[in-house]
Amino acid sequence: MKMNRLTSWILVAMALGVVVGYACNTMASPEVAKEIAGYFGMLTDIFLRMIKMVIAPLVFATLVAGLANMGDSKTMGRIGGRALGWFIGASLVSLTIGLIAANLLHPGSALGVALPEVGTATNLKTSALNLKEFVTHVFPKSIVESMASNSILQILVFSVFFGLALGHLHNQTARSLVGTMDDIVHVMLKVTDYVMRFAPVGVFAAVAGAITTQGVGMLAVFGKFMLSFYLALAVLWTVLILAGYLVLGRKVFSLIKLVRNPMLIGFSTASSESAYPKLMEQLEKFGISNRVTGFVLPLGYSFNLDGSMIYTSFAALFVAQAYGIEMSLTSQITMLLVLMVSSKGIAGVPRSSLVVVAAVLPMFGLPEAGVLLVLGIDHFLDMGRTATNVMGNAIATAVVAKWEGAIEPVDPALAETEDAMPAPGELMPQAA
């Protein structure tokens, strides 16, 4: 399979990051290594900041333009209902695969490391995981504040009201404003193209920083756990692609090929936000209408985190096995349902997957301190979770678009060439 230049540059950056990070970890003292990782982190933060500056205007403009052109609220309700139905089904499947994989592979058995004492503080903000905080947080008190903090769910709520109101105004000014929103979408996608030229630098720094501080020793100690989790992810990928195939047919493989760059960016940076603008652009190249992408994708970023779902159930059973605590089938099913409810809408919480696990463990007599076992390797686990989240949302958006008849045929060759990394001489726009 021919790979475009952006993918090649990112893979090279990842390899260099591993080599440089390993060298820094082995040749420098822990204090110096931490300082070096801080400089790597600076480069990663700059790249992620550039990505984040695109997200809010892109989500707002795409959603407003799509809703204004949608015509009525019934269409929006139908699209939202279909999307949420898919999200719930995918989440249940993900959680179930996590439970089955943990029961079959026993990643926590015979761990061979000292277990954290029960009652040890995790310093994870599990207080953020409650119904009152979630429901209140959904509705913005200031759209400016929501955009400044990239609160996608809040931006979505405001955009729904704004877009529907704009769609019901039929004067020339309203039509001009809709056209302006369409233009903003294309401008922001062009800005995304410019920002993505720095992706290899951000990827290199992210990988090098993680290896510099953690080294590869942790990977060897928890090798069984990591291998088991990635095997579970492979099963989930197969199920999601099969589900997409049932709706999209063979086009699902073209979709996966198109979104491999956003998945790779998400994997290497362990940040779903870093993949959002490029994912939206690739879905457009697949032929999905912006009105569907602009509504379903932000919703999916809050409610359709398949990689995070599978991790919560897998990690919870890992903790039980590590401490030698038996859980009955009834308890496991109950925990699955609790995780299903508890995990929705906390995408904005730092270390959200670990927060969910830490909050749910005590409900079933499991020590919250067990999450400390995986804190050291969580970044490497988060890489797989993030790539899965990106792929899951791509398939979900395409499926809903198919149900809505909102996929237009595109030229595959054109989509592939436009995705290519610019040559060094093309980094600056040329005059016409």
Side-chain angles (χ1 to χ4, degrees):
M1 180 180 68
K2 183 179 179 181
M3 296 170 57
N4 59 52
R5 281 177 285 178
L6 178 58
T7 304
S8 300
W9 285 34
I10 290 176
L11 288 174
V12 170
M14 289 179 65
L16 286 175
V18 172
V19 173
V20 173
Y22 178 75
C24 293
N25 178 263
T26 54
M27 298 174 63
S29 65
E31 294 77 13
V32 175
K34 185 176 181 180
E35 184 177 353
I36 294 174
Y39 288 103
F40 287 136
M42 178 185 67
L43 295 175
T44 305
D45 288 343
I46 290 173
F47 172 66
L48 293 179
R49 281 171 178 262
M50 288 193 295
I51 286 290
K52 289 178 180 180
M53 75 179 181
V54 176
I55 292 177
L58 185 59
V59 170
F60 175 73
T62 306
L63 192 51
V64 168
L67 291 175
N69 291 318
M70 200 173 285
D72 59 84
S73 56
K74 291 183 180 179
T75 303
M76 184 196 71
R78 184 179 66 247
I79 295 174
R82 286 174 168 176
L84 289 175
W86 180 274
F87 295 164
I88 292 172
S91 296
L92 284 173
V93 168
S94 301
L95 287 165
T96 302
I97 292 175
L99 282 181
I100 294 174
N103 277 295
L104 291 178
L105 301 174
H106 294 279
S109 302
L111 198 56
V113 298
L115 300 178
E117 293 186 9
V118 177
T120 304
T122 61
N123 296 321
L124 295 173
K125 296 182 179 179
T126 55
S127 59
L129 191 65
N130 63 74
L131 182 61
K132 177 184 175 182
E133 290 291 334
F134 167 62
V135 174
T136 304
H137 183 73
V138 167
F139 298 93
K141 58 183 178 181
S142 168
I143 185 58
V144 176
E145 179 184 344
S146 300
M147 287 191 168
S149 59
N150 271 339
S151 299
I152 292 181
L153 199 54
Q154 293 183 357
I155 297 172
L156 186 146
V157 170
F158 178 82
S159 300
V160 166
F161 283 104
F162 193 94
L164 289 177
L166 186 60
H168 282 85
L169 298 176
H170 303 291
N171 54 51
Q172 184 59 40
T173 302
R175 292 297 90 196
S176 298
L177 186 54
V178 174
T180 300
M181 289 295 172
D182 284 326
D183 290 338
I184 290 175
V185 172
H186 290 97
V187 170
M188 296 314 299
L189 288 176
K190 192 63 178 177
V191 172
T192 298
D193 284 338
Y194 295 148
V195 171
M196 292 314 299
R197 295 171 184 181
F198 296 93
V201 178
V203 167
F204 164 78
V207 175
I211 299 294
T212 297
T213 53
Q214 301 295 338
V216 294
M218 291 291 290
L219 305 184
V221 173
F222 289 92
K224 179 183 177 182
F225 174 68
M226 293 187 63
L227 179 61
S228 299
F229 178 64
Y230 274 91
L231 284 175
L233 283 182
V235 174
L236 178 57
W237 281 34
T238 303
V239 173
L240 289 174
I241 293 174
L242 178 60
Y245 181 83
L246 295 177
V247 180
L248 302 170
R250 295 184 62 85
K251 291 184 69 176
V252 71
F253 301 111
S254 300
L255 174 66
I256 299 301
K257 183 179 179 181
L258 270 176
V259 302
R260 67 184 186 272
N261 270 347
M263 289 174 62
L264 186 57
I265 293 167
F267 176 82
S268 53
T269 61
S271 169
S272 296
E273 285 185 333
S274 68
Y276 185 97
K278 191 65 177 177
L279 178 59
M280 178 172 282
E281 183 179 351
Q282 296 303 88
L283 291 176
E284 182 182 16
K285 291 178 182 178
F286 186 69
I288 300 176
S289 169
N290 279 338
R291 67 183 177 88
V292 174
T293 302
F295 185 56
V296 176
L297 195 56
L299 203 62
Y301 260 60
S302 294
F303 295 102
N304 189 45
L305 305 175
D306 300 324
S308 301
M309 293 293 97
I310 191 174
Y311 180 73
T312 55
S313 57
F314 188 88
L317 274 190
F318 165 77
V319 172
Q321 294 167 1
Y323 283 87
I325 301 174
E326 293 291 334
M327 292 190 69
S328 65
L329 179 61
T330 303
S331 297
Q332 292 187 33
I333 294 175
T334 304
M335 184 174 66
L336 183 148
L337 297 176
V338 172
L339 287 169
M340 176 71 184
V341 176
S342 302
S343 58
K344 294 305 177 187
I346 64 157
V349 179
R351 294 185 179 269
S352 57
S353 299
L354 287 179
V355 170
V356 172
V357 175
V360 170
L361 287 179
M363 301 180 189
F364 296 88
L366 302 175
E368 179 184 332
V371 299
L372 296 174
L373 284 169
V374 296
L375 274 179
I377 58 168
D378 186 65
H379 179 86
F380 303 102
L381 301 171
D382 201 9
M383 295 166 74
R385 298 197 300 260
T386 303
T388 305
N389 291 341
V390 173
M391 185 185 74
N393 278 312
I395 293 176
T397 304
V399 166
V400 174
K402 178 68 174 180
W403 287 337
E404 288 292 315
I407 299 181
E408 299 294 334
V410 295
D411 184 356
L414 179 62
E416 180 67 19
T417 54
E418 286 183 351
D419 194 40
M421 182 71 178
E426 300 172 342
L427 289 178
M428 295 300 293
Q430 302 296 317

